[in-house]
Amino acid sequence: MSELNQLYQRVILDHNKNPRNFYKPDGSNRKAEGYNPVCGDQITIHARLDGGMVREIGFQGSGCAISRASASLMTEAVKGKNRSETQTIFESLQRMLSGAGFESDEPGGLNALSGVRRFPVRIKCALLPWQTLIAALDEKAESVSTE
Ligand code: ZN
């Protein structure tokens, strides 16, 4: 395993073990639930939007290491971002997981998920928190399923 892959592995294990923002922020005004039946990942995203910007974000639920690490990294990546900035990061992540390189260094932490593309079945695990967040921001769906 290359040094970079080892670093990414450590980031994922760390975020799985000590997920950031694993809570429901006070004053949350956006919420959605996501479910990935292939893996059994369940996630609830809570966010507090203010002036169109994600001020606080947290998640709850249970899932595999990839989904938890992705959710944890996501909460760090989107804080202070608006809806379209969040969508841009999400699309970059989707491109990265479909085999393209990550187009920007920012947010660097998400690069740790690049190894997931070698395991196509786990890509849904990595994308679930993002799909759920977008649903929460759009207030379109209370729940999201990857199937
Ligand atoms: Zn999973």
Side-chain angles (χ1 to χ4, degrees), residues 21 23 25-26 46-49 53-58 79:
N21 304 302
Y23 78 124
D26 285 341
H46 300 281
R48 183 165 68 79
L49 249 71
M53 199 177 275
V54 178
R55 299 287 181 188
E56 297 292 338
I57 177 167
K79 208 177 277 187

Side-chain angles (χ1 to χ4, degrees), residues 31-35 43-45 132 141-145:
K31 176 191 171 191
E33 289 171 15
Y35 179 51
I43 189 166
T44 305
I45 302 286
T132 308
E142 294 266 301
S143 64
V144 177
S145 174

Side-chain angles (χ1 to χ4, degrees), residues 76-109:
E76 294 196 316
V78 303
K79 208 177 277 187
K81 302 282 194 287
N82 65 26
R83 164 71 176 77
S84 78
E85 289 166 333
T86 300
Q87 178 76 28
T88 300
I89 301 170
F90 175 46
E91 287 172 7
S92 302
L93 180 66
Q94 281 179 308
R95 276 195 297 275
M96 179 179 87
L97 291 175
S98 65
F102 205 70
E103 282 150 40
S104 93
D105 295 336
E106 187 268 346

Side-chain angles (χ1 to χ4, degrees), residues 36 39 41 63-64 66-67 122 125:
N36 173 10
C39 183
D41 306 313
C64 68
I66 300 292
S67 69
R122 311 310 293 281
C125 304

